[in-house]
Amino acid sequence: MKLYSDRFASPSFRRSLIGAAVLAMCAGQALAIEPFTVKDIRVEGIQRTEAGTVFNYLPVRVGETFNDDKSVAAIKALYATGIFKDVRLEQDGNVLVVLVEERPAIAKVEFTGTKEFEKDTLVKALKDIGVGETKVFDKASVDRAEQELKRQYLSHGLYGVKITTTVTPIERNRVNIVFAVDEGEIAKIKQINIVGNKVFNDKELREQLALNTGGWFSWYTKADQYSKTKLTGDIESLKSYYLNRGYIEMQVESTQVSITPDKKDIYITINITEGEKYTVSGIKFEGEMFGREEELRSLVLLRRGETYSGERLTATNKLISDRLGTFGYAFANVNANPEINRDKREVGFTFFIDPGKRAYVRHMNIAGNTTTRDEVIRREFRQFESSWYDANKIKLSRDRVDRLGYFKDVTIDTPEAQGTNDQVDVNLTVVEKPTGNFQIGGAFSQSEKFTFQAAIQQANFAGSGTTVGIELNTSKYSRTISFSQTNPYYTDEGVSRAFEVYLRTTQPPALNIGTYSIKQEGGRISYGVPFSENDTVFFGIGLERSRISTDGSSPQRFLNYIRDNGGPANGIGTVSSNAVPLTAAWARDSRDSAITPTIGRYQRANLEIDVIGNIKYYRAVYEQQWYKPLHPKVTLALKGEIDFGHGIGSKPYPVFKNFYGGGIGSVRGYLSSSLGAVDPVNYDALGGASRLIGNAELQMPFPGSGQDRSLRWFGFLDGGQVYQEGQKMRLSELRYSAGLGISWISPVGPLKLSYAKPLNAKPGDRLERFQFQMGTGF
């Protein structure tokens, strides 16, 4: 059949002939198109699509012969783009005319009635499956999007959700899509049944589950809302509970989840088979151990005759793998093969050890540091390129970088180097945090109302690792102007240097009846010398001039100081003194992070002594912080501090060196610096020559904090007291408080909010339940 039309022929007639020919060929019939040479190609019907896009998909070009095979290929190729809902071909002389009808484009996707999910989250999720602005509208994709929305709601326990989708055509061949959501009520777990348990009772097993029937904190934990993911995790928790107690053959036979017709209550049934309890019969080793079998055997946490524990077995595998990793065997494989004796109810294990090839570190890569210089991070590395892989040194490198305090998050991974089987790359990725710190602090109390103070400091100045501080403290109690600099790598060997010059003026709080003023000006310089990975010793010297002024209303301790240091007999006047304090300190830091520690310990001891100036004293401080993970998301933090000062010879301890207690950083719930003895006449807080402080915090991530691990809430218990010179530290005199708080490394610095209830306040104690501070750590 010859396909031929002159230019006056009806276009519809030509299209019908080609359409019939194409349909015939697709159906396998012997209807053919008479080939012709294409002199030009014309595209009609496009609105948004570029003509070049159509040309790219056509299997024919100008100058080529158009035949039946290319007709079928062209139709299929254009349909396959998904852009067009109708495609036709027409011959106009030697011109191939491509007529298309585009599918509508999606102009806007909107949601109404959504409360459980953020709209931006839903928009992103649907765009990933083809429903989003500028995407081509496809009814099948919209149906999939509706089902995906329902699936998301079902996973959050909203089984009564109803979704109505409306597609509205608008100008320029576009459509608006609106998903109207009626979320309904959240289905709650009404009952959880465990069937088949004999050794452990229902209550004991339910305590292992994240899902439950609700309680005081269900509004926060959402534990009474069914989730398939949570149920899967709970089944694994049940298995682990049995495995850790010797029930090696425990099985979860089935789980049934049913929902009431009104879709409000959910019933869960878990069927289990406990099996028998097994003890460990023995431990064997096979494989390559390089003569270190006894060393590796000492790492085994399972003991012959003891009850089998799956947790200890897993921990043993990791300990052996990590130990081999310290010798360079980055790909060590440790498998424990069980040998079960059901008659004796014993299980023995043979640890098969395959260390693999010893690996070198090819490259140490750093990513994510937009401000901090590479050298500031790299000088903390203890694993080096072109040396043996050492798992301990790699972990230590990560911890040291995290302890710098410049980053929100520090992660490290060790992928195998491509193209080799004995090299790895160490990739350390950091997330920068703002290191400029505008510190403010304040509190609210019935007596003082609102108090405020501020200071400015820049850590990691210009990404150099150097800390530069300009303190302008303008609180109601003090005025401070100071400049300080700390260079942690003053020498290449890691010796640090810090210096500060300052001018401080201190006046009593408005609460105090007695008035006085202390003006101090001076400076100090100190050096820190590291002598191990975690230990540093500091030495320093300072020069300070102090001037104390009193009047008739000043507290008696200040009047006595003026009198005892050459002032008038009545103690009213001004006395100046010079001090040359020498300092020696030691610090040990094994925390995994300086910002959000979860494990490790920090210790600090400091001695300040002056035997050169005309005031002679010593001042000793010891502090210890201890962090222990109780759960992957719960950390127990303990802090203790004991401080002691005393005059040397016949000199009294200088009052302006007194310790104070109360407020954030010591005992929350009590007014800042208010603990201890008070002036018998004016009832002003005196501070003291010694101090005892203890804090305990239970830290947990704040709901909705996502990847920001610095945003946490915590419950706390504080205790502390301040004692006068010569007074014994009596634990019976400690003041205690308990409460809740929030901490966050905010864009303007560390933030802490706390609400405390004093537990044993005595008459005369000054209370302050709500307190906040920015720029403070634990």
Side-chain angles (χ1 to χ4, degrees), residues 388-402:
W388 293 118
Y389 172 97
D390 189 323
N392 286 346
K393 289 182 179 179
I394 291 174
K395 181 181 182 301
L396 179 60
S397 299
R398 194 218 74 86
D399 290 349
R400 288 182 63 90
V401 172
D402 206 346

Side-chain angles (χ1 to χ4, degrees), residues 357-418:
K357 286 192 175 182
R358 197 175 188 189
Y360 295 85
V361 172
R362 185 178 66 172
H363 297 305
M364 298 283 295
N365 302 312
I366 303 172
N369 53 318
T370 56
T371 300
T372 307
R373 302 171 190 172
D374 274 12
E375 65 184 46
V376 173
I377 300 174
R378 199 170 290 278
R379 67 194 182 190
E380 302 299 329
F381 288 171
R382 294 301 178 263
Q383 172 70 64
F384 301 108
E385 295 177 345
S386 301
S387 63
W388 293 118
Y389 172 97
D390 189 323
N392 286 346
K393 289 182 179 179
I394 291 174
K395 181 181 182 301
L396 179 60
S397 299
R398 194 218 74 86
D399 290 349
R400 288 182 63 90
V401 172
D402 206 346
R403 287 200 292 264
L404 290 174
Y406 307 152
F407 311 109
K408 287 184 179 179
D409 192 27
V410 180
T411 58
I412 200 164
D413 65 291
T414 55
E416 184 176 358
Q418 292 186 356

Side-chain angles (χ1 to χ4, degrees), residues 298-324:
S298 67
L299 301 175
V300 178
L301 302 178
L302 297 172
R303 298 289 182 268
R304 182 174 182 177
E306 293 183 354
T307 300
Y308 165 77
S309 169
E311 184 177 31
R312 290 184 179 181
L313 179 63
T314 301
T316 298
N317 284 341
K318 186 176 187 305
L319 287 172
I320 295 175
S321 296
D322 290 348
R323 185 58 178 161
L324 292 171

